Amino acid sequence: MSGSSGEQAPAYRSILSISDEAARVQALNEHLSTRSYVQGYSLSQADVDVFRQLSAPPADTRLFHVARWFRHMEAILGGACGRGEPRGRQASKGRRGQPQWSPPAGSPPCKLRLYNSLTRNKDVFIPQNGKKVTWYCCGPTVYDASHMGHARSYISFDILRRVLRDYFGFDVFYCMNITDIDDKIIKRARQNYLFEQYRGKQPQAAQLLEDVHAALKPFSVKLNETTDPDRKQMLERTQRAVGLAAEPLERAVRGGLPAEEAARCAEVLLEEAKDLLSDWLDSTLGSEVTDNSIFSKLPKFWEEEFHRDMETLNVLPPDVLTRVSEYVPEIVNFVQKIVDNGYGYVSNGSVYFDTVKFASSERHSYGKLVPEAVGDQKALQEGEGDLSVSADRLSEKRSPNDFALWKASKPGEPSWPCPWGKGRPGWHIECSAMASALLGASMDIHGGGFDLRFPHHDNELAQSEAYFDNDCWVRYFLHTGHLTIAGCKMSKSLKNFITIKDALQKHSARQLRLAFLMHSWKDTLDYSSNTMESALQYEKFMNEFFLNVKDILRAPVDITGRFEKWEDEESELNKSFYDKKTAVHEALCDNVDTRTVLEEMRALVSQCNLYMAARKAARRRPNRALLESIARYLTHMLKVFGAIEEESSLGFPVRGPGSSLNLESTVMPYLQVLSEFREGVRKIAREQKVPEVLQLSDALRDDILPELGVRLEDHEGLPTVVKLGDRETLLKEREEKRRVEEEKRKKKEGAARKKQEQEAAKLAKMKISPSEMFLSETDKYSKFDENGLPTHDSEGKELSKGQAKKLKKLLEAQERLHKEYLQMVQNGSFK
């Protein structure tokens, strides 16, 4: 019942007069039970007076009228902060108002941190311009085949680039260079050219032998001067191989063998002595090579090979690619400004960077990345190049730590015109000029291999900051870790030099990438059989999960059946799913820790597998929507990492050979029909007891379909699972299964044979009469008693009591065995 505010005042005064608080609240509860205080209720001053007396609604659930009235009053008056007068116009009319809202406290966002070589710490990544990230990566010097060391850097940077772009949402502008002017390229190009010229002249056998012996003299000197044991061993192998190849040709010349035989021997020697002769020809004729096109042909060929390798490895192409040969004018201008700024000097046609003057400047610091390496002359000379460390070149420098910005070209080297005479760029200046032309005075990220830190990247920093007269040319320097081969440094001298093409003969691009993902990008990675086996097992583990989920999703179900009630198992799995996503995010924020990410993904799949197995055991369908969400998330993460190359909504895609056709979506409907037909046939064959049909059905599963890349999995009481996979993988699985079965068969046969032999040996022993068992052992005993028990040893000495007692026990045991045998014969156990 409702009443006016005037009618309520006496009742409220009576309630307020009660001194005991508990009794006052009880009286208020009884009063409120007789009236409506929500809809159509007119607020009075008496209500306000009573409300002021209460600090909170009563906890006793029996006093629910007071609790409800209290909340209503609190909403009208604006809570504890506004108990004086009714709030606003709505309150005056007795209407309910919205309570005050407060946002949740939340948790602080996880920030991306990257290991910065400039600080040797994980620094919070903050781009200079919003979400845009400018990034320069040192590309290859293209004079030979790309190897696994290149793969280590470029796959790792590709992963980082994809994560920043596709996971964190940065707008990455990625630049990379191709070094096509370099001492190594010049020397290799000259050697190749001179050797081909020499081969084309088809030297006579005697001339070839004379030239090989002439080349061996400086080679022997180099061998004797070499201190590195691995390199020395390689040179010794070359020397031996050339010597062995020369002997048949020498015999052919001395013996006057037919010209065809001598030509064959000469060809063998030419091949074995190629490196030896190339080096010798270059030292004698290299200065005569003047055609610049000779020096561009080699890098062009190997650059094309490099791009093909990167495409096969699914490494994204750079947004911009720069070649040194195309930036020579910019490099000349860059060097000139460094000279104008007072940090470079001209000496004998070359231009050098003045490290002393730069380091003494208050605005600059030399050796930011590896200050402890400053002054390392071996590293500095390696950075200058093989053709630039002669005594006369070294004498041109003001300080041994100075390095070449521009090199005066010697005879036999390519050259370009410049203010200081004809010359060519130094190695370090190339990246500085090209990166600055595109990215300006300061870039967000510069990347390269760990071995480039000093002197290359330290010199890049110095000359660029000398050019711009700043101290921030690079904000974050990222360096990928070394790559070792089975624990050893990769080198031709150790015969463990592995090209990318060699590696791809053994493993797929995805498997190589997974191996890299399972290690930190900044640490040393050991490329070994164990490393690759781990990657193979991870790929197989993930692929099986995807195939199982695809099979669940293919099961026919109506639209409403796709959404099923969640039980505790689904809620628990979903909670784990979100926990793992959080852990993945935190790992990616922590220096893009892909190793931890893959482990979290593995753990999530393991939980899904347990869930599916439990549902299978209970003959219940797993929740398809939940599993699909998880599988799509895992697919997305693998796409982010570049481990899934094609457009695939779920799992690893299956493509037709040499085709962009999605094989799975094309053939799976037909395979499903075949599987259902086979199940029907098998059911009838079992009912009608037709084993031949069952054998044919098994042959289809085990022998025929794997050849087509199809796996059928039969489960008792459940539909057959159809999985489309890689043919080679399925065939390997089949062979492994057969090998294991064959081993089991052999083991079983061996155990049965051993048991037979033991039983035969036991039977043979049982047949021996106790009185005869020792008589044949004349080498041990010479006398026996009437029961055949030995009494004297072979020398005629009487046996001791202990020996006699032991032999008697053996005799008694034989008596029992022989008695058992006679009983068996009597019972007809033996014919």
Side-chain angles (χ1 to χ4, degrees):
M1 298 180 206
S2 61
S4 69
S5 60
E7 293 172 345
Q8 307 307 322
Y12 277 138
R13 281 195 296 272
S14 174
I15 292 169
L16 287 169
S17 67
I18 301 172
S19 59
D20 181 69
E21 185 177 354
R24 188 166 63 247
V25 173
Q26 179 66 42
L28 179 62
N29 192 66
E30 291 174 1
H31 172 70
L32 292 172
S33 67
T34 63
R35 54 189 282 250
S36 170
Y37 41 86
V38 177
Q39 293 181 347
Y41 178 67
S42 298
L43 185 66
S44 69
Q45 185 59 45
D47 285 284
V48 175
D49 293 339
V50 174
F51 179 64
R52 284 175 178 169
Q53 297 296 316
L54 299 176
S55 59
D60 190 340
T61 56
R62 291 172 296 181
L63 303 173
F64 65 89
H65 290 293
V66 175
R68 189 178 181 194
W69 172 83
F70 183 91
R71 288 193 297 268
H72 177 64
M73 292 294 295
E74 191 173 42
I76 293 174
L77 296 175
C81 62
R83 293 188 179 181
E85 293 295 332
R87 179 176 60 181
R89 185 177 176 185
Q90 289 186 347
S92 66
K93 293 182 178 180
R95 295 180 183 176
R96 177 185 288 251
Q98 285 186 305
Q100 185 177 358
W101 177 86
S102 299
S107 57
C110 188
K111 295 180 180 179
L112 171 62
R113 294 176 181 271
L114 295 176
Y115 185 85
N116 185 4
S117 297
L118 286 166
T119 62
R120 301 187 187 180
N121 283 310
K122 295 176 185 176
D123 295 327
V124 175
F125 180 63
I126 305 172
Q128 298 174 98
N129 185 16
K131 298 290 283 187
K132 183 180 180 182
V133 175
T134 53
W135 187 336
Y136 181 83
C137 180
C138 276
T141 301
V142 281
Y143 69 98
D144 206 340
S146 302
H147 50 71
M148 285 302 292
H150 293 118
R152 169 58 170 148
S153 281
Y154 300 120
I155 290 178
S156 296
F157 281 130
D158 186 66
I159 292 167
L160 291 173
R161 177 186 176 189
R162 288 172 182 267
V163 169
L164 262 65
R165 185 192 70 175
D166 299 335
Y167 185 84
F168 288 106
F170 290 108
D171 182 8
V172 179
F173 183 59
Y174 191 84
C175 309
M176 189 180 79
N177 78 294
I178 293 290
T179 297
D180 57 356
I181 302 173
D182 180 79
D183 287 37
K184 295 186 184 76
I185 293 172
I186 294 167
K187 190 172 182 180
R188 181 68 62 85
R190 279 194 325 223
Q191 289 177 340
N192 288 354
Y193 170 76
L194 292 169
F195 182 78
E196 289 306 318
Q197 291 283 309
Y198 181 81
R199 185 198 285 270
K201 293 177 181 176
Q202 298 180 338
Q204 295 296 314
Q207 182 63 51
L208 176 59
L209 286 168
E210 183 182 337
D211 292 341
V212 167
H213 287 303
L216 276 168
K217 291 178 182 177
F219 184 86
S220 298
V221 173
K222 183 167 70 172
L223 173 60
N224 292 331
E225 292 175 348
T226 300
T227 56
D228 181 84
D230 295 330
R231 180 163 176 76
K232 194 176 189 73
Q233 193 176 39
M234 182 187 74
L235 295 176
E236 286 171 346
R237 284 198 302 266
T238 301
Q239 190 180 52
R240 283 195 300 271
V242 171
L244 289 171
E247 288 176 4
L249 186 58
E250 288 172 343
R251 288 196 298 270
V253 171
R254 286 197 304 267
L257 293 178
E260 294 82 2
E261 180 65 18
R264 188 188 65 78
C265 293
E267 191 59 35
V268 171
L269 178 57
L270 262 176
E271 199 58 41
E272 285 293 344
K274 180 179 178 180
D275 292 343
L276 183 85
L277 285 169
S278 297
D279 208 22
W280 175 70
L281 289 167
D282 185 54
S283 65
T284 55
L285 303 172
S287 60
E288 299 176 11
V289 179
T290 56
D291 186 356
N292 267 14
S293 65
I294 292 170
F295 303 107
S296 60
K297 181 180 177 183
L298 177 77
K300 183 179 180 183
F301 171 81
W302 287 117
E303 182 191 335
E304 289 176 358
E305 291 297 302
F306 170 78
H307 291 312
R308 289 193 185 98
D309 286 342
M310 293 300 104
E311 185 177 3
T312 307
L313 291 173
N314 195 35
V315 172
L316 294 170
D319 295 310
V320 179
L321 183 82
T322 63
R323 298 181 185 88
V324 178
S325 59
E326 297 171 349
Y327 276 78
V328 173
E330 289 85 349
I331 292 171
V332 170
N333 293 335
F334 204 91
V335 172
Q336 183 63 62
K337 187 174 179 184
I338 293 174
V339 173
D340 294 342
N341 287 350
Y343 295 111
Y345 59 91
V346 181
S347 179
N348 201 24
S350 295
V351 183
Y352 294 95
F353 188 82
D354 193 333
T355 56
V356 174
K357 186 171 182 181
F358 182 81
S360 62
S361 168
E362 291 183 1
R363 290 176 54 83
H364 302 298
S365 176
Y366 180 64
K368 284 184 172 183
L369 292 166
V370 196
E372 62 270 23
V374 174
D376 183 343
Q377 291 304 306
K378 183 181 178 183
L380 287 165
Q381 290 181 22
E382 285 178 0
E384 292 295 79
D386 291 345
L387 304 177
S388 309
V389 291
S390 58
D392 58 326
R393 279 287 169 91
L394 294 175
S395 66
E396 296 172 356
K397 300 180 180 182
R398 293 176 182 174
S399 165
N401 294 340
D402 294 352
F403 56 89
L405 299 172
W406 184 266
K407 301 176 182 180
S409 291
K410 295 182 290 188
E413 296 178 1
S415 62
W416 287 263
C418 69
W420 320 287
K422 286 192 173 183
R424 56 190 178 89
W427 178 34
H428 313 301
I429 198 68
E430 299 168 347
C431 289
S432 290
M434 293 186 292
S436 298
L438 292 167
L439 306 179
S442 184
M443 70 184 77
D444 294 307
I445 298 175
H446 192 322
F450 185 82
D451 55 333
L452 295 179
R453 294 180 311 151
F454 184 87
H456 185 52
H457 286 158
D458 265 327
N459 288 352
E460 270 189 51
L461 284 167
Q463 62 202 8
S464 301
E465 292 173 0
Y467 176 88
F468 289 109
D469 199 21
N470 67 10
D471 193 40
C472 56
W473 187 59
V474 174
R475 297 293 185 172
Y476 299 83
F477 234 124
L478 310 184
H479 288 100
T480 54
H482 285 301
L483 179 124
T484 57
I485 307 294
C488 300
K489 180 182 177 181
M490 184 175 68
S491 69
K492 290 183 178 179
S493 58
L494 292 175
K495 287 191 170 181
N496 65 355
F497 186 83
I498 300 175
T499 66
I500 291 173
K501 286 183 172 59
D502 291 336
L504 288 169
Q505 291 294 316
K506 295 182 178 180
H507 301 104
S508 69
R510 179 189 299 138
Q511 289 159 357
L512 291 173
R513 186 171 287 249
L514 286 172
F516 287 13
L517 285 163
M518 295 172 84
H519 294 77
S520 169
W521 60 268
K522 76 176 188 66
D523 296 333
T524 297
L525 184 148
D526 187 46
Y527 178 71
S528 64
S529 56
N530 288 339
T531 299
M532 293 314 302
E533 182 59 29
S534 296
L536 289 170
Q537 291 303 319
Y538 191 91
E539 180 188 45
K540 182 179 179 181
F541 178 76
M542 296 298 292
N543 193 44
E544 282 300 308
F545 169 70
F546 288 135
L547 292 175
N548 287 329
V549 173
K550 286 177 182 179
D551 179 70
I552 290 168
L553 297 179
R554 278 196 299 271
V557 65
D558 56 36
I559 293 176
T560 56
R562 296 176 187 173
F563 306 98
E564 302 161 291
K565 180 186 176 184
W566 280 23
E567 305 292 347
D568 290 345
E569 297 89 342
E570 283 77 25
S571 296
E572 184 179 338
L573 180 58
N574 189 60
K575 180 181 182 304
S576 179
F577 176 29
Y578 277 84
D579 288 345
K580 294 301 178 190
K581 285 206 285 189
T582 299
V584 164
H585 180 68
E586 290 174 352
L588 289 176
C589 285
D590 184 17
N591 196 38
V592 190
D593 181 5
T594 56
R595 179 177 182 173
T596 298
V597 170
L598 261 60
E599 285 307 310
E600 295 292 351
M601 289 167 62
R602 187 202 298 271
L604 177 58
V605 170
S606 295
Q607 290 170 325
C608 290
N609 289 341
L610 289 173
Y611 166 74
M612 289 188 287
R615 284 303 178 110
K616 181 179 174 183
R619 296 289 192 271
R620 296 174 62 192
R621 289 186 310 183
N623 188 290
R624 54 190 290 146
L626 177 55
L627 288 173
E628 183 178 9
S629 294
I630 293 172
R632 288 189 186 279
Y633 167 75
L634 294 171
T635 301
H636 169 69
M637 292 310 304
L638 289 169
K639 278 185 182 179
V640 167
F641 296 146
I644 292 181
E645 305 88 349
E646 302 92 346
E647 285 300 318
S648 171
S649 59
L650 199 156
F652 300 130
V654 182
R655 299 289 184 192
S659 167
S660 60
L661 176 72
N662 189 323
L663 202 60
E664 189 170 26
S665 62
T666 305
V667 306
M668 192 53 78
Y670 303 97
L671 291 175
Q672 200 67 42
V673 170
L674 173 64
S675 174
E676 291 167 4
F677 175 76
R678 174 178 169 272
E679 279 193 68
V681 170
R682 289 174 73 222
K683 182 180 178 183
I684 294 170
R686 280 194 294 265
E687 291 171 352
Q688 301 296 325
K689 294 185 171 63
V690 188
E692 294 83 2
V693 173
L694 291 174
Q695 289 170 5
L696 285 172
S697 177
D698 289 347
L700 177 68
R701 178 194 63 203
D702 299 334
D703 301 327
I704 299 172
L705 289 179
E707 294 283 349
L708 302 173
V710 179
R711 186 204 302 159
L712 298 184
E713 295 178 358
D714 294 324
H715 300 282
E716 189 64 34
L718 294 170
T720 296
V721 175
V722 185
K723 294 180 178 179
L724 192 63
D726 175 64
R727 175 179 177 273
E728 295 302 320
T729 302
L730 293 183
L731 293 182
K732 285 179 183 176
E733 287 178 359
R734 185 178 71 182
E735 291 308 310
E736 179 63 17
K737 183 180 177 183
R738 288 176 177 175
R739 185 188 66 77
V740 171
E741 288 174 350
E742 181 65 14
E743 283 184 1
K744 284 183 180 178
R745 184 187 65 78
K746 287 181 178 179
K747 192 174 181 180
K748 189 175 180 181
E749 287 179 353
R753 187 164 53 250
K754 186 176 181 181
K755 186 178 179 183
Q756 266 186 334
E757 291 170 354
Q758 289 172 341
E759 290 176 350
K762 182 181 178 182
L763 182 61
K765 187 177 181 181
M766 291 172 73
K767 289 180 179 180
I768 300 172
S769 171
S771 59
E772 298 176 356
M773 67 178 294
F774 294 116
L775 297 179
S776 60
E777 298 182 17
T778 54
D779 58 327
K780 296 180 181 178
Y781 313 109
S782 59
K783 290 184 181 181
F784 306 87
D785 66 9
E786 65 277 7
N787 295 321
L789 189 67
T791 58
H792 294 72
D793 63 16
S794 58
E795 295 178 358
K797 293 180 182 179
E798 187 175 356
L799 297 177
S800 67
K801 288 183 180 180
Q803 287 175 310
K805 187 177 180 180
K806 184 178 180 181
L807 292 173
K808 188 176 180 181
K809 282 186 178 180
L810 291 173
L811 185 72
E812 289 171 351
Q814 185 61 30
E815 284 176 348
R816 290 192 294 272
L817 274 175
H818 190 64
K819 186 177 180 181
E820 185 183 345
Y821 168 71
L822 294 175
Q823 188 65 43
M824 290 167 66
V825 171
Q826 187 177 350
N827 294 339
S829 299
F830 294 105
K831 292 184 180 179

